Amino acid sequence: MAGAGNEGRGAFIVFEGCDRSGKTTQSKKLVAALREKGVDAEWWRFPDRTTGVGRLIDSYLAGKQDTEDDVIHLLFAANRLEKKQELMSKLEGGTTVVLDRYAQSGAAFTMAKATPGLDLAWCMGVEGSRLPAPDVVYFLKAPVEMAAERGGFGDERYEVLEFQRKVADCYMNLSKMEGWRELDATQTIDALHLEICKDAMKVVEACKAGRPIDL
Ligand code: DGP
Ligand code: NA
Ligand code: NA
């Protein structure tokens, strides 16, 4: 369904990776570059800490509140599900949405806890069938030691080197799934940005034309 001034559907682009791997920087730079090329694009992030559910998540991440692993997984999922209609109408209206984290974070972070009963099927099952699937997932791969040296690391619950190593292992397994692109996040910001831009433009054009994305 084409919206005002937009032909075809928008692309759904997701950035994933460990904490401080450069997702926020790269996803924002991509949106700026797409807009410069005349693409109608928006930057979103999850968790969205501004909603009621988001405030619970924020308090959990700040270490002010504890809860069960399945409960927090469901809250993160709910936080994405509460924005589902808005997300879908943006994409259908032709707007490209670039997301800093999505359901793949839920799988990586909950799996990293190795909680009995919370396997991949359970993690993905909660939201997988209810949320639109990304057209591409850019996985920013960097040694966790490098990320840990970046400013602000350690401020929140999950920002512990040992845990981030487990999250990285989970991402390595997830990145074998269809639609994932593994990127070397140790290169310079500009080099990585150029690599992402080239790829993302092809994704945007394929979505706009209703073509399958084969790069
Ligand atoms: P960020 O604002 O991107 O730094 O994300 C906040 C933290 O929350 C970060 O450590 C990653 C984690 N996170 C993001 N999504 C999920 C999720 O769905 N489940 C869990 N358990 N953690 C998540
Ligand atoms: Na973080
Ligand atoms: Na970030």
Side-chain angles (χ1 to χ4, degrees), residues 66-85:
D66 290 322
T67 187
E68 296 297 321
D69 294 338
D70 52 359
V71 172
I72 195 65
H73 183 89
L74 292 169
L75 287 179
F76 273 105
N79 187 234
R80 289 181 281 269
L81 285 164
E82 61 186 348
K83 303 269 307 253
K84 173 187 164 180
Q85 293 306 334

Side-chain angles (χ1 to χ4, degrees), residues 16-185:
E16 286 288 353
C18 286
D19 286 300
R20 316 285 159 174
S21 57
K23 297 176 305 301
T24 305
T25 302
Q26 289 296 336
S27 55
K28 285 184 169 170
K29 274 179 84 72
L30 175 61
V31 168
L34 290 174
R35 284 184 176 161
E36 223 161 87
K37 290 189 165 80
V39 176
D40 175 13
E42 277 188 19
W43 181 83
W44 285 33
R45 97 171 318 156
F46 283 119
D48 175 353
R49 304 185 194 216
T50 66
T51 70
V53 173
R55 282 192 286 279
L56 291 174
I57 292 170
D58 186 59
S59 139
Y60 170 82
L61 289 172
K64 290 181 196 148
Q65 191 184 317
D66 290 322
T67 187
E68 296 297 321
D69 294 338
D70 52 359
V71 172
I72 195 65
H73 183 89
L74 292 169
L75 287 179
F76 273 105
N79 187 234
R80 289 181 281 269
L81 285 164
E82 61 186 348
K83 303 269 307 253
K84 173 187 164 180
Q85 293 306 334
E86 193 185 338
L87 176 60
M88 284 177 51
S89 60
K90 290 277 179 198
L91 297 171
E92 282 164 16
T95 303
T96 285
V97 179
V98 176
L99 258 161
D100 183 353
R101 295 195 180 282
Y102 191 54
Q104 290 72 15
S105 283
F109 280 76
T110 298
M111 293 289 289
K113 296 174 184 175
T115 310
L118 307 190
D119 57 11
L120 186 61
W122 184 82
C123 288
M124 298 299 279
V126 169
E127 48 194 329
S129 60
R130 294 185 186 87
L131 283 169
D135 293 303
V136 64
V137 179
Y138 292 125
F139 168 41
L140 270 51
K141 196 181 154 204
V144 290
E145 290 78 10
M146 201 180 113
E149 283 164 12
R150 293 191 173 159
F153 185 89
D155 289 352
E156 291 201 323
R157 180 182 290 264
Y158 294 137
E159 293 177 335
V160 176
L161 205 50
E162 211 34 60
F163 185 69
Q164 291 288 323
R165 278 200 189 96
K166 290 177 186 157
V167 174
D169 285 344
C170 292
Y171 272 125
M172 286 308 291
N173 289 326
L174 291 171
S175 69
K176 296 181 185 97
M177 292 168 81
E178 215 193 311
W180 284 66
R181 304 245 201 298
E182 193 181 304
L183 298 164
D184 174 10

